[in-house]
Amino acid sequence: MPVGRTHRLRHLRVFRGTPEDGGELVEYSVPVQEGMVVLDALHWIQANRAPDLAVRWNCKAAKCGSCSAEVNGRPTLTCKTRLSDLPEDIPVQVEPMRTFPLVRDLVTDVSWNYEVNRRITPFTPPEDAPEEAWRWQQEDIERVQEFRKCIECFLCQDICHVLRNHETRNPFMGPRFLVRAAGLELHPMDRADRTPYLRDGGGIGYCNITKCCTEVCPEHIKITDNAIIPLKERVADTYYDPVQVAWRKLFGRRSEGGSGQPIPGQPSADGS
Amino acid sequence: MSRARDQYETHAHDVLVIGAGGAGLRAAIEAQAAGASVGLVCKSLLGKAHTVMAEGGVAAALANVATDDSWRTHFRDTMLGGKMLNNWRMAQIHAQEAPDRVRELERWGAVFDRTRDGRILQRPFGGHSHPRLAHVGDRTGLEMIRTLQDRAVASGLAVYMECTITRLLTDGDRVIGAIGYWRTTGDMVVFRAKAVVLATGGIGRAYQVTSNSWEYSGDGHALAYEAGAELIDMEFVQFHPTGMVWPPGVRGLLVTEAVRGEGGILRNNENDRFMWRYLPDERRHEYAETDSEASRWVEALREGRQTDARQPPELSTRDNVSRAIYTEVREGRGSEHGGVYLDISYLPPELVRRKLPSMYEQFRELAGVDITTGPMEIGPTCHYVMGGVRVDAETGASTRTGLFAAGEVAGGMHGANRLGGNSLSDLLVFGQRAGVGAAAFAKEVAPDKPGSGELALAGTELAAPFDHHSGTNPYRLHAELQATMQSLVGIFRTAEDLETAIERLGELRAKWATIEVSGPRAYNPGWNLTFELKNMLICSEAVARSALQRTESRGAHSRIDHPDPDPAWAKRNSVVSRDGDQMRVGHSRLPEMPAELRELITP
Ligand SMILES: Cc1cc2nc3c(=O)[nH]c(=O)nc-3n(C[C@H](O)[C@H](O)[C@H](O)COP(=O)(O)OP(=O)(O)OC[C@H]3O[C@@H](n4cnc5c(N)ncnc54)[C@H](O)[C@@H]3O)c2cc1C
Ligand code: SF4
Ligand code: SF4
Ligand code: FES
């Protein structure tokens, strides 16, 4: 390690303010240490320059999804963004997520997400399933587990242009909740049908598959390819073929694939 | 729900649960199911509690992988791991009920990794004689919290998030609610309740090197203490052997024990597998004899088959591995940045990435290290507090009427040292029981109104730091506290250090009284920290005083001046309680274990 690298200064421009005062970017110089992340720099500012700087964080390990912000205009977890990966010649600009209402400084009001989440039909297993029904092969659940990796950082919600445009925010549940819905729909024991909600209240049709959400996901969930597109297909299939809906309600989803056929919406080799 | 004249809102519930980690969520779900009206308060957003960070797994004798596992062996491992200081009844209930609680999570939508025959997969962990930890890769806590969170929200209970409780309301002998502030506005809020469940987690932020988040300021411990409840065994603070040591910003961040569970090997800078030298004699026979026996065990694990090979020495209990690493480093055999090496890179890269995905990411993104090609540098980090609110094993009731506790904030279950994986199961088992206990208690009592004096006092407390002009900055005070605890009340302790620590904590307390904050009350972390500091000071003093009192070494508590266990102390819990403005430290007799359980341990 070259000597001297540990005590250089980096310049940050951090958004400070409230909805009332409109806020402004404030410049801070922070001594950097090897391996420092943006959240470390914000903590240094709190401890040494601005004790009231509002920042949301918990784990500092990219596991809780609390510290989301826009760094140099890009939605990211500040606890995972290393200063050394950002261009040296310009100040590091740190701003709150723009899609959600500002509370103060870097903290936004994300409660809307919790309201949307509440509207999704929760996990609904059959009441009388025998013990053996709860045995699944690892391959059967890999996709569900991918969706369940979500740490609810809401970065995908932040970048999605449908939600950024406030007029279309309310009719669209956003990528995070399409991921949750997909995880429930593909759960081997779930028997609820969320397709009517996805189409109507959830507004899945608003998504035009730009894939921006996938690009920012810190958990590398393939939001568009693995969650949204299959759900869109499932919604289309359901509304195209009402017999299938009735079949599913009567016998549960498993029975459809009785001959080893892929079930609608579940990705398979031939892409059905 | 009403907005009173003097500017605070009031909410009333049968049961108020403080904390929305695994324990709080599980308690809230149960109390609601029992017909109580439930309010759930947490200081972060819902779903961000510490439980979300748990990695390795939840311990339960499901016997899916090792068919000869049972609650009896789980009980035995837990008691031996806790150096027999555990509350035997808690350890018994825990071992007996954990399997049902885990299966119930699955019925609520959790998706655990599978065995080849499709059951919940279980992995080995330190101190567990059988592969016992149900898990989801290395993000088990996330799976657990999301499942419970969804269940709680669907049940319709009231959630108050980003709301910090600063005081419990009491009426004579009974706890009747709590007061706090909304973090987003700084406004005061009052909760009236017939029963209160504390589920606030641990105290690790009092130390410099810790795996714990800012939330771990011991709020629940301090709230209970101030309300007159007893705390037990506070000297037992667990230092997890494997925290990151580099780069500086991530020092202390946890490296899950699952790395060792999957076969990770510890070496010093002489390439020596030093754990062979640190296995305690009385349990030596439970571990492999040679490198090759240990690797046979790892191979069998990978292929999912039974084996007669015994486990590698790295899977010794946490207290022991931490002391070993500390000693290696102190004697000059440490790594470049003051730790030792943990190596899993001899396994196939795709296996490492599949079994330990978030460790792979964590090292790649935060340290620029690829753990599939080279070793990690690790060292001990403050991780968990075994001590906590003294509770009744059956109901979670504390020694204060109307106050219950579950999860890390409760004491007794883990004795002198917790086994990995036994916390997540503890949250489920005792969260559920505290939910039942609190709901039943709430049915029996009438609601009570807080006195106006208590409310006014709470209001004054909240406003006070803005009126001070001492120049004492909360962040600096926090740093001083952490330095004190780290250097004087760490892994190895002496009477002299502990006395110095107690003296310094007194000075810090005096400084705290004049702490100065600036800015508005809305989302002001400096102001918020002042209340957390008060709690950390109380907990730190409880740790230091209990540690000074226990003149022996046992589990996580190692006294250089009293290096051996003392049979007299083997029968005692340390007890801390409030006596006016003074902290009272004493001890009480450990509950006597029935003969039939004793036989399970020493047949
Ligand atoms: C990195 C890491 C990995 C771990 N891995 C494992 C593992 O693999 N297996 C295992 O068994 N254990 C593990 N543990 C330990 C285990 O995760 C914790 O002990 C456990 O999650 C604690 O749960 P809890 O419900 O008691 O508290 P938490 O989950 O911490 O929840 C505490 C709650 O209380 C709230 N709260 C606190 N103070 C206040 C206040 N004043 N007002 C309002 N709300 C408040 C918080 O906001 C939070 O909601 C790990 C711990 C860490 C740090
Ligand atoms: S792919 Fe759809 S959900 Fe994702 S960002 Fe684009 S429009 Fe939004
Ligand atoms: S899907 Fe990815 S980006 Fe979206 S909230 Fe979850 S973790 Fe964050
Ligand atoms: S602080 Fe938890 S994700 Fe960044």
Side-chain angles (χ1 to χ4, degrees), chain B residues 331-596:
Chain B
E331 294 176 0
R333 294 184 294 276
S335 64
E336 186 185 351
H337 301 100
V340 294
Y341 299 104
L342 173 62
D343 188 16
I344 189 88
S345 65
Y346 69 95
L347 291 176
E350 68 290 353
L351 181 77
V352 173
R353 278 195 294 266
R354 184 160 57 80
K355 287 287 186 182
L356 304 162
S358 68
M359 281 307 108
Y360 174 73
E361 286 272 307
Q362 185 172 312
F363 273 89
R364 199 174 58 97
E365 309 224 359
L366 300 177
V369 167
D370 181 351
I371 66 168
T372 66
T373 59
M376 304 159 234
E377 260 190 273
I378 55 88
T381 180
C382 176
H383 185 59
Y384 186 91
V385 60
M386 273 69 75
V389 179
R390 169 175 261 174
V391 291
D392 168 45
E394 315 294 330
T395 61
S398 74
T399 53
R400 196 78 159 92
T401 312
L403 184 64
F404 297 75
E408 190 167 338
V409 68
M413 162 65 207
H414 304 285
N417 172 55
R418 175 179 71 93
L419 296 186
N422 267 2
S423 170
L424 292 186
S425 41
D426 164 7
L427 310 183
L428 295 172
V429 168
F430 294 104
Q432 190 266 352
R433 281 184 167 256
V436 174
F441 178 83
K443 278 208 181 101
E444 302 296 314
V445 296
D448 208 342
K449 258 207 164 105
S452 55
E454 215 169 0
L455 297 182
L457 179 65
T460 314
E461 266 176 0
L462 289 177
F466 290 101
D467 301 332
H468 297 156
H469 303 284
S470 60
T472 304
N473 164 320
Y475 298 93
R476 218 159 302 142
L477 192 61
H478 187 198
E480 287 176 42
L481 168 65
Q482 291 180 314
T484 304
M485 292 303 284
Q486 189 77 30
S487 60
L488 300 173
V489 198
I491 296 184
F492 287 103
R493 300 159 174 180
T494 64
E496 198 187 336
D497 281 357
L498 293 168
E499 277 158 7
T500 314
I502 292 166
E503 207 179 297
R504 279 204 207 155
L505 289 170
E507 291 159 18
L508 294 176
R509 231 180 11 256
K511 273 197 190 173
W512 177 84
T514 65
I515 211 161
E516 176 181 338
V517 302
S518 57
R521 276 170 70 148
Y523 227 108
N524 183 339
W527 178 56
N528 299 168
L529 178 57
T530 57
F531 305 108
E532 277 139 14
L533 268 172
K534 175 179 162 197
N535 299 333
M536 285 188 260
L537 283 164
I538 291 174
C539 293
S540 299
E541 187 182 343
V543 173
R545 287 193 188 277
S546 305
L548 182 62
Q549 177 187 237
R550 187 173 284 274
T551 46
E552 66 157 355
S553 290
R554 178 177 304 273
H557 172 67
S558 304
R559 285 279 298 259
I560 294 177
D561 46 354
H562 297 277
D564 297 314
D566 174 344
W569 276 106
K571 294 192 165 54
R572 292 178 193 156
N573 291 113
S574 323
V575 183
V576 167
S577 62
R578 193 167 69 98
D579 186 2
D581 282 342
Q582 297 296 311
M583 185 174 282
R584 190 171 8 166
V585 185
H587 49 79
S588 67
R589 221 186 136 68
L590 192 72
E592 190 83 40
M593 195 190 306
E596 68 271 20

Side-chain angles (χ1 to χ4, degrees), chain B residues 62-85:
Chain B
L62 297 160
N64 289 352
V65 171
T67 45
D68 59 341
D69 198 9
S70 72
W71 77 261
R72 292 178 185 82
T73 41
H74 192 182
F75 170 76
R76 176 176 188 271
D77 292 344
T78 301
M79 292 298 302
L80 287 175
K83 305 295 181 282
M84 302 297 290
L85 206 65

